[in-house]
Amino acid sequence: MGKNSMSVGLIGAGGIAHQHVAALVAHPGVSSVAVADVSEHALVSMSEKYKVSRVVTDYGRLLDDPEIDCVDICLPHWLHHRVCI
């Protein structure tokens, strides 16, 4: 990873997440995007559509990954607190 790039973990693969991941994979300052969602179907769809190479069904794996520089939470609002804590 270069000095001016970051690795982003995206939590959630539905609804608004598609707009977020499209912007992230196109951004020159983002070196990689990993996506977590409980739905394997949603992960496969996002991986194929946006060429995301790393997908996981447990968002905790993204939070624990030292390679991830920041996390973008794309879940329903009522789930944000649970994931952040």
Side-chain angles (χ1 to χ4, degrees):
M1 181 167 58
K3 181 179 177 185
N4 295 320
S5 65
M6 69 172 64
S7 177
V8 179
L10 186 85
I11 300 175
I16 196 68
H18 288 267
Q19 288 145 345
H20 284 237
V21 77
L24 289 168
V25 298
H27 195 287
V30 175
S31 59
S32 67
V33 178
V35 180
D37 196 281
V38 295
S39 168
E40 289 186 25
H41 175 73
L43 290 173
V44 168
S45 174
M46 186 164 280
S47 175
E48 290 173 353
K49 184 171 184 178
Y50 301 104
K51 308 299 183 230
V52 174
S53 60
R54 181 169 176 221
V55 295
V56 296
T57 56
D58 177 2
Y59 72 86
R61 291 179 56 197
L62 294 186
L63 297 177
D64 291 337
D65 187 338
E67 297 291 319
I68 300 292
D69 297 307
C70 71
V71 174
D72 183 2
I73 300 175
C74 293
L75 297 171
H77 293 137
W78 61 273
L79 290 173
H80 285 201
H81 181 261
R82 182 183 312 170
V83 170
C84 288
I85 298 302

